[in-house]
Amino acid sequence: MELYFLGTNAGVPTLQRNVTSIGLRMLDERRALWLFDCGEGTQHQILSSPLKLSKLEKIFITHLHGDHVFGLPGLLSSRAYQGGTTPLTVYGPPGTERMVTTVMELSQSRINYELKIIEHTGGLLFEDESFIVESALLEHRIDSYGYRITEKDRPGSLDQVKLAEYGLKPGPLFGRLKRGETITLDDGRAVRPEDVLGAPKRGKVITILGDTRPCANVLPLAKHADVLVHEATFMDDLADTAHEYYHSTAKQAAEAARAADVGELIMTHFSSRYKDEEQLQPLLDEAKAVFLNSRLANEHELIPVIHHQNGSQL
């Protein structure tokens, strides 16, 4: 699982940064790409990335402000021309379907794949044998949601020494054991999965928040996540401005990460007043003073999602 930031600026694109879109690439887990938000220019950013629209399976929209959705109709229309023929599901707040269908109808855009749009107001959105996606309302000028993506625990690795003791060789029986089935050998002995499997591999948890000022739902969404992606529009000297415009500061993002005991904090959605890396550095310093394992999202940077014990809190 890897995160890829296609845009990190708040409000409008600049020469240095595009507006919000985040890719979650899961090639080993399900050979798929998920997108979180789709600001203007997202499909152009993808052209300069290792991400493939043909692998795109789901898009999660946090809220309907333009810097998070204006790229969506264009991307949906272009996907078919870039090898995308498999079904695609878009999750978003009420109004998402009307926005997309209106633009597609008026522009007479046609797609050759199955498109499903699921509007929600939070709760459990998706679950299969591998993943759970949950959502909750945040606090912004319009309804804005955060998403918690939980990878389910996977079976442990087969113990080759124990398998050899049973006289088992690679083959279909290995798969049955990994699926949790008990098998019977030719001599009548039963081999249970727990006899030959190591400890289960804990799944990873990723929390990606939409625009928000500090609010109660951040904690349950982010609790013990391996990675928390949180907006950090301003430095804390502009905390009053952040509150007025329903945004967060870098310090507030770090406080949320510390309270939720996450593994790593990745900050994004930076105000245009911070024009380059040098001007963004104070935001990082501010966050690290509260939560050491903090970092700034850099566009076109692929960040592996790894397990963390904790966030090295101060």
Side-chain angles (χ1 to χ4, degrees), residues 72-78 97-111 113 115 117:
L72 183 57
L75 182 141
L76 294 176
S77 180
S78 298
E97 183 171 16
R98 181 158 60 97
M99 182 201 72
V100 172
T101 56
T102 298
V103 174
M104 302 295 272
E105 289 173 1
L106 291 176
S107 63
Q108 297 187 22
S109 298
R110 289 176 173 80
I111 56 177
Y113 57 87
L115 175 64
I117 299 176

Side-chain angles (χ1 to χ4, degrees), residues 16-72:
Q16 294 78 25
R17 300 189 298 268
N18 200 50
V19 286
T20 298
S21 184
I22 303 167
L24 176 59
R25 193 168 72 164
M26 300 177 287
L27 297 185
D28 290 340
E29 293 79 9
R30 60 195 298 128
R31 299 189 61 79
L33 167 67
W34 291 359
L35 279 185
F36 292 81
D37 285 334
C38 190
E40 180 183 358
T42 292
Q43 64 171 311
H44 190 267
Q45 292 285 85
I46 288 176
L47 294 176
S48 302
S49 81
L51 308 182
K52 304 297 181 184
L53 282 181
S54 59
K55 300 291 185 183
L56 183 59
E57 180 185 38
K58 296 180 182 295
I59 301 174
F60 298 88
I61 300 299
T62 63
H63 64 294
L64 296 179
H65 275 154
D67 57 328
H68 294 255
V69 297
F70 280 171
L72 183 57

Side-chain angles (χ1 to χ4, degrees), residues 275-311:
K275 290 182 171 53
D276 52 31
E277 290 185 14
E278 182 178 351
Q279 293 186 15
L280 284 174
Q281 184 62 40
L283 279 79
L284 181 60
D285 295 340
E286 184 175 281
K288 281 181 170 289
V290 175
F291 188 80
L292 191 59
N293 204 11
S294 299
R295 68 190 295 173
L296 302 173
N298 296 313
E299 294 186 15
H300 296 296
E301 178 182 14
L302 197 60
I303 303 175
V305 178
I306 61 175
H307 285 304
H308 294 275
Q309 294 300 316
N310 57 59

